[in-house]
Amino acid sequence: MNALIKPAFDVARIRQDFPILGEKIRGKDLVFLDSAASAQKPRVVIDAMVHAMERQYANVHRGLHWMSERTTEAYEEVRDALAGLLNAPDRSHIVITHSSTEAMNLVAHSYGRGILKPGQAVVISAMEHHANLVPWQMLRDAHGIELRIAPITDAGELDMAGYEALLQDRKVGLVSITHMSNVLGTYTPAERIVQLAHRYGAKAMLDGSQAVVHRAVDVQALDVDFYAITGHKLYGPTGIGALYAKRELLDAMPPWMGGGDMIRSVSFEVTTWNDAPYKFEAGTPAILEGIGLKAAIDYVQGIGFEAIAAHERQLTEHALSCLAEIDGVTVIGHAQDRGGVVSFTMDGAHAHDVATLLDRQGVAVRAGHHCAEPLMRRLGVDSTSRASFGIYSTMEEVDALAAALVRIREFFR
Amino acid sequence: MFEDLRNLYQDTIMQRGKSPKHGSRLAVFDAQAKGDNPMCGDRVHVFLRHEGGRVAELGFEARGCAISIASADLMAEAVAGQSDARALEIADAVFAMVRTGDITDPSLDLLRPLAAVSEAKSRIKCATLPWGALQSALAGSGAEKGSVEA
Ligand SMILES: Cc1ncc(COP(=O)(O)O)c(C=O)c1O
């Protein structure tokens, strides 16, 4: 798409694309600040899925009839869209999964058990989502892989010296680190992470579940080996995600789930695998969700990541300065390079109470440990409240959050 | 000024959530149980002491929100002086109340401030956390006398 003909970023117009934003909560306008958990869906995504169900639907990759051919074509377009989104060389690098959780489990299973050798190590960081922690613990326990945790600083940034120290004995076969923290908003220095991993002979995966929503990602420029994303945070449907991987890795890796679609030929004695990426996709895929995700990717690319990042930067800066002014409210995480996720605590009030009291005022945030319990421990908190922004978030919504927090503060006095 | 917030967070909840009257471990107890809510990390540890076949005293240690702590604190008063069977009945009444929003037994009016969680589905577990621990403690009543490691 030509950047020059992109219309200027207009949040009011964007909001009109999201039917749900017109809903009222307890008579108040919905202030939805929980997009990092799952984003709302634009009309084009809803329509694409409804259209498929109403006009053009059958199983894919197998029917020899018109409906199946058309559906296969529509579904496979998401692979191209994903390749475009991540700047992968082509669609053969894109394994479609049901989520980023599945994408990372795929790597832990297939690369972890098929390629890594017992005695080798995997490095993750202290700020991972459980989805990028638990699969490696399972691998550790099943396959004799050592799990190493790269430290973070008090500001919530990856401690690069600590990270490099973990690589130096060259036992590390794979590094898997978040590209953007879902709790702290921190962007990690992805390029450096990958470079260092490679320097010490390790492959590198990035958990792009959050990052890909907020900035342009170029897997070739990053030279990353694996990149995991999930569709529902990217304004697409639930139940669909993807793994980008370098082609030679996909070719070398064994399949991890067996079933239809992933095979070339099957007999009771021997079964041969389909080529990558299909050998990693067992069973009927999430067809409608794929069609929805394709529409979502087109939609965000139509807006453009430069505009999205600029808009979200403005919101984040505004939120940080508003929250800093509220007595008793502490923002958790002060990374230099950060995206539209702001975690905070309030003195004398548990995060759940804060979230419920915000909800009473129409403001939706998430509260709890955000699927990152070890990170909470590292930060010395039980839980936080988290406001997160999307393309449709507004400065007025940030003001509404701040005003509601001031009231809660008063209420708790 | 705070009508929109008060429905769920009545004064009783706010006060007991902030400064519970029974929020400490009993020096001597004959039943205890822990409860936790893995989705949010809230924890409670309930301690009971019986006398003459009745609950003489209940104390608790908790890490959690105002609703769970207030609920534990009200629980301590609701079950004091009751037989185990009656305490379990009260627990059942609470589990029903947080779903229906009402408590029919007038002798349990003390617990009424918890009824509003029925409108905040995501908070029902906070209110019931201590009551689940009470049920476990009574199920194993007497099994672990003396003091245990927290
Ligand atoms: C950083 C990060 N990784 C992984 C995930 C898991 O995403 P999903 O549940 O869609 O697989 C999330 C979502 O919460 C996330 O924020």
Side-chain angles (χ1 to χ4, degrees), chain A residues 18 20-21 32-42 45 209-210 213-214 230-238 296 300 312 386 388-393:
Chain A
F18 290 80
I20 207 168
L21 296 179
F32 186 77
L33 300 179
D34 194 21
S35 292
S38 199
Q40 300 298 351
K41 318 305 173 201
V45 169
S209 307
Q210 296 289 342
V213 181
H214 306 290
T230 196
H232 65 98
K233 297 184 201 278
L234 189 60
Y235 312 101
T238 50
V300 290
E312 291 175 354
R386 178 189 73 183
S388 56
F389 310 123
I391 45 180
Y392 39 63
S393 304

Side-chain angles (χ1 to χ4, degrees), chain A residues 350 352-353 356 382 407 412, chain B residues 1 4 9 18 40 66 123:
Chain A
H350 190 279
H352 287 160
D353 296 321
T356 298
D382 294 336
R407 287 188 79 224
F412 266 90
Chain B
M1 181 190 174
D4 52 335
Y9 288 85
K18 199 186 282 178
C40 64
R123 305 306 300 279

Side-chain angles (χ1 to χ4, degrees), chain A residues 36-37 98-102 104 128-129 131-132 178 180-182 207-210 230-233 366 370-371 386:
Chain A
H98 294 96
S99 61
S100 55
T101 298
E102 187 184 309
M104 292 185 275
E128 298 310 321
H129 188 280
N132 191 27
T178 190
M180 176 183 166
S181 164
N182 60 309
D207 173 2
S209 307
Q210 296 289 342
T230 196
H232 65 98
K233 297 184 201 278
R366 175 142 181 213
H370 314 289
C371 299
R386 178 189 73 183

Side-chain angles (χ1 to χ4, degrees), chain A residues 33 319-320 322-331 342-347 349-351 353-359 361 363 365-366 384-387 389 397-413, chain B residues 2 5:
Chain A
L33 300 179
L320 291 173
C322 287
L323 295 190
E325 274 173 28
I326 306 173
D327 175 49
V329 167
T330 308
V331 170
V342 179
S343 272
F344 56 91
T345 56
M346 186 186 280
D347 291 351
H350 190 279
D353 296 321
V354 172
T356 298
L357 290 165
L358 284 171
D359 175 61
Q361 303 174 74
V363 181
V365 301
R366 175 142 181 213
T384 72
S385 305
R386 178 189 73 183
F389 310 123
E397 288 180 314
V398 174
D399 293 336
L401 167 70
L405 284 173
V406 168
R407 287 188 79 224
I408 295 169
R409 188 71 187 135
E410 299 271 296
F411 186 61
F412 266 90
R413 282 239 160 97
Chain B
F2 293 118
L5 309 182

Side-chain angles (χ1 to χ4, degrees), chain A residues 121-125 146-150 165-167 169 171-172:
Chain A
V122 168
V123 171
I124 63 171
S125 85
E146 185 195 339
L147 183 56
R148 298 181 178 176
I149 316 295
L166 297 180
L167 297 168
D169 65 4
K171 276 193 177 166
V172 176

Side-chain angles (χ1 to χ4, degrees), chain B residues 83-102:
Chain B
S83 66
D84 283 6
R86 175 62 184 152
L88 289 170
E89 258 173 44
I90 298 172
D92 288 344
V94 168
F95 277 96
M97 172 180 68
V98 296
R99 286 184 172 78
T100 62
D102 197 19

Side-chain angles (χ1 to χ4, degrees), chain A residues 29-203:
Chain A
D29 288 335
L30 167 64
V31 176
F32 186 77
L33 300 179
D34 194 21
S35 292
S38 199
Q40 300 298 351
K41 318 305 173 201
R43 169 63 67 197
V44 286
V45 169
I46 300 164
D47 285 351
M49 295 174 76
V50 169
H51 174 83
M53 280 184 281
E54 287 182 349
R55 309 295 299 277
Q56 200 184 78
Y57 180 77
N59 209 333
V60 294
H61 301 152
R62 43 193 94 176
L64 299 177
H65 51 78
W66 191 92
M67 275 294 181
S68 178
E69 285 166 3
R70 291 296 97 70
T71 311
T72 302
E73 212 172 298
Y75 170 73
E76 283 294 324
E77 278 178 15
V78 73
R79 222 181 283 275
D80 292 331
L82 284 160
L85 177 73
L86 301 175
N87 194 35
D90 62 63
R91 61 158 70 174
S92 75
H93 294 72
I94 304 292
V95 180
I96 297 177
T97 65
H98 294 96
S99 61
S100 55
T101 298
E102 187 184 309
M104 292 185 275
N105 273 280
L106 187 167
V107 176
H109 239 266
S110 170
Y111 194 81
R113 291 167 203 223
I115 311 282
L116 293 179
K117 301 278 175 284
Q120 279 192 293
V122 168
V123 171
I124 63 171
S125 85
M127 58 177 154
E128 298 310 321
H129 188 280
H130 294 163
N132 191 27
L133 161 58
V134 180
W136 307 112
Q137 290 175 323
M138 292 165 75
L139 176 69
R140 174 194 66 196
D141 298 342
H143 193 58
I145 294 290
E146 185 195 339
L147 183 56
R148 298 181 178 176
I149 316 295
I152 59 169
T153 66
D154 291 337
E157 292 174 323
L158 191 65
D159 173 346
M160 292 304 283
Y163 165 61
E164 185 168 4
L166 297 180
L167 297 168
Q168 274 160 348
D169 65 4
R170 292 186 163 268
K171 276 193 177 166
V172 176
L174 181 71
V175 165
S176 184
I177 289 183
T178 190
H179 193 181
M180 176 183 166
S181 164
N182 60 309
V183 179
L184 305 172
T186 309
Y187 282 111
T188 55
E191 216 167 322
R192 273 302 279 156
I193 290 171
V194 176
Q195 272 172 7
L196 281 171
H198 288 170
R199 178 181 306 164
Y200 293 100
K203 300 294 182 208

